[in-house]
């Protein structure tokens, strides 16, 4: 009898995971089957590794977006932050900085842009949608200032190695995603700060009465989003060997889609990094599959927009059912 209880207890975590992520995992498998039937080259190890590298930039940006959406906020500036990070790195190398100073400078730039979004939202009480639409344009304009809109080449071998080299059989870029996933997952699900983020997004008044400094939490989370976007910019510029002024364009849509598909509620207070990672895989497989089928880019935008609408509708429907 005790053995049966032990087995049942051991099965509970798996049953919970299946209930929570079963739907999106089924969607992931169905997508893979569809694209495999339509193009046999889709289900190859080489293409799967390509998908993982392609989603790296989106997945990391989506980790940051998940934090922001958990608050019931939005950050539409991350695509521009990605571009600024790449250009900041290129200009730092041109000025004679080495790898480590450039890396630190790029991360500080991301944190500073996130800080600006957080302060404008938390301290001035401006809607994050309006704030980040404005900073999206400001940051995008800043990217073009150093080169008058032209791309800037990056020739630092260590920087380029991030997007081109492998470690223990896997591309370095994938290892970075794994490390950042673990970091964000642990920070969100296992720490006091993560619990404060959930409470702030789920019930702001309760968070205030609990003694949580809501404004500080909000500013910190926007800074995390900025840093994650800056890291995405580092990876993208290392893969492109350059900083492009149009880098990261519409990446905010992919990041939002990945987070929402993964179960993060736009109303705040609900979401996990595991779900976001699965959502990023779905977005990556959609992008890769449609590219292999030569689907025009504007049709891809339509599909991704419909996917976001579907995910939001399902989220709203689920909340109404619970009520």
């Amino acid at each position: 009898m005790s053995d049966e209880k032990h087995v049942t207890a051991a099965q509970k975590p798996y049953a919970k995971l299946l209930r929570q992520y079963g739907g999106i995992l089924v969607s992931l498998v169905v997508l893979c089957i569809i694209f495999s039937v339509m193009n046999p080259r889709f289900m190859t190890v080489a293409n799967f590794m390509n998908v993982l590298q392609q989603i790296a930039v989106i997945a990391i940006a989506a980790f940051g977006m998940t934090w922001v959406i958990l608050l019931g906020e939005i950050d539409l500036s991350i695509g521009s932050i990605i571009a600024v990070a790449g250009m900041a790195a290129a200009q730092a190398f041109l000025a004679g900085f080495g790898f480590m100073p450039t890396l630190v400078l790029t991360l500080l730039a991301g944190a500073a842009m996130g800080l600006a979004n957080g302060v404008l939202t938390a301290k001035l009480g401006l809607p994050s949608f309006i704030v980040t639409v404005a900073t999206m344009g400001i940051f995008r304009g800043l990217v073009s200032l150093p080169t008058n809109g032209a791309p800037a080449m990056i020739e630092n071998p260590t920087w380029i190695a991030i997007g081109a080299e492998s470690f223990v059989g896997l591309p370095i870029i994938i290892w970075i995603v794994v490390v950042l996933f673990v970091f964000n997952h642990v920070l969100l699900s296992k720490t006091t700060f993560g619990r404060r983020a959930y409470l702030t997004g789920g019930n702001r008044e309760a968070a205030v009465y609990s003694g949580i400094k809501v404004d500080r939490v909000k500013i910190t989370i926007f800074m995390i989003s900025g840093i994650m976007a800056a890291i995405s910019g580092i990876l993208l510029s290392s893969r492109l060997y350059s900083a492009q002024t149009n880098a990261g364009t519409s990446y905010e849509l992919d990041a939002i889609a990945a987070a929402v598909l993964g179960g993060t509620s736009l109303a705040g207070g609900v979401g996990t990094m595991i779900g976001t990672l699965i959502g990023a895989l779905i977005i990556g497989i959609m992008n890769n599959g449609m590219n292999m089928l030569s689907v025009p880019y504007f049709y891809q935008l339509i599909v991704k927009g419909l996917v976001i609408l579907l995910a939001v509708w399902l989220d709203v429907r689920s909340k109404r059912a619970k009520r």
Side-chain angles (χ1 to χ4, degrees), residues 11-295:
Q11 289 175 342
K12 282 184 179 180
Y14 298 104
K16 182 181 178 181
L17 287 173
L18 190 60
R19 285 196 305 271
Q20 191 168 4
Y21 305 113
I24 51 175
L25 286 173
V26 169
S27 301
L28 184 64
V29 172
V30 169
L31 271 177
C32 289
I33 293 172
I34 291 172
F35 286 128
S36 298
V37 170
M38 299 180 76
N39 191 328
R41 290 187 296 112
F42 179 82
M43 282 300 287
T44 61
V45 174
N47 187 57
F48 183 67
M49 295 300 292
N50 185 40
V51 169
L52 291 180
Q53 292 183 76
Q54 287 175 349
I55 70 161
V57 175
I58 296 301
I60 294 170
F63 295 155
M65 185 67 80
T66 300
W67 283 101
V68 175
I69 296 177
L70 270 174
L71 293 180
E73 306 287 352
I74 201 75
D75 187 354
L76 297 175
S77 69
I78 62 168
S80 298
I81 295 175
I82 288 171
V84 171
M87 186 59 73
Q91 296 306 309
F93 285 129
L94 286 174
F97 286 90
F99 173 78
M100 284 305 299
T102 299
L103 180 63
V104 172
L105 177 66
T106 304
L107 294 177
L108 287 175
M113 288 181 279
L115 176 64
N117 287 333
V119 169
L120 289 170
T121 302
K123 295 300 184 182
L124 298 186
L126 300 176
S128 57
F129 177 83
I130 301 300
V131 168
T132 56
V133 163
T135 55
M136 174 176 65
I138 294 168
F139 298 156
R140 183 64 65 179
L142 290 174
V143 177
S144 300
L145 290 180
T147 62
N148 290 321
M153 299 304 297
I154 296 177
E155 298 179 350
N156 183 277
T158 308
W159 195 271
I160 292 172
I162 295 173
E165 300 295 331
S166 297
F167 175 72
V168 196
L170 282 177
I172 293 173
I173 198 170
I174 295 177
W175 285 113
I176 293 173
V177 173
V178 171
V179 170
L180 289 175
F181 164 71
V182 172
F183 168 77
N184 282 284
H185 173 67
V186 171
L187 185 62
L188 179 60
S189 62
K190 306 294 182 182
T191 68
T192 301
F193 180 76
R195 289 191 289 274
R196 287 174 178 170
Y198 276 119
L199 183 57
T200 300
N203 192 329
R204 180 187 171 90
E205 290 184 4
V208 171
Y209 288 133
S210 299
I212 296 173
K213 292 180 171 57
V214 171
D215 287 352
R216 183 181 297 178
V217 171
K218 186 175 290 188
I219 291 170
T220 302
I221 283 177
F222 271 101
M223 289 179 70
I224 291 173
S225 178
I227 292 170
M228 290 299 116
I231 295 173
S232 292
I234 291 169
L235 300 189
L236 186 60
S237 63
S238 70
R239 293 196 71 194
L240 297 175
Y241 299 84
S242 64
Q244 305 284 336
T245 55
N246 64 345
T249 302
S250 80
Y251 277 36
E252 58 276 355
L253 295 180
D254 285 345
I256 293 170
V260 174
L261 279 172
T264 304
S265 173
L266 289 169
V270 177
T272 65
M273 292 299 164
I274 295 175
T276 296
L277 183 61
I278 299 171
L281 277 169
I282 291 175
I283 295 298
I285 285 172
M286 284 174 55
N287 289 340
N288 179 265
M290 288 190 290
N291 285 334
M292 292 186 75
L293 296 174
S294 301
V295 176

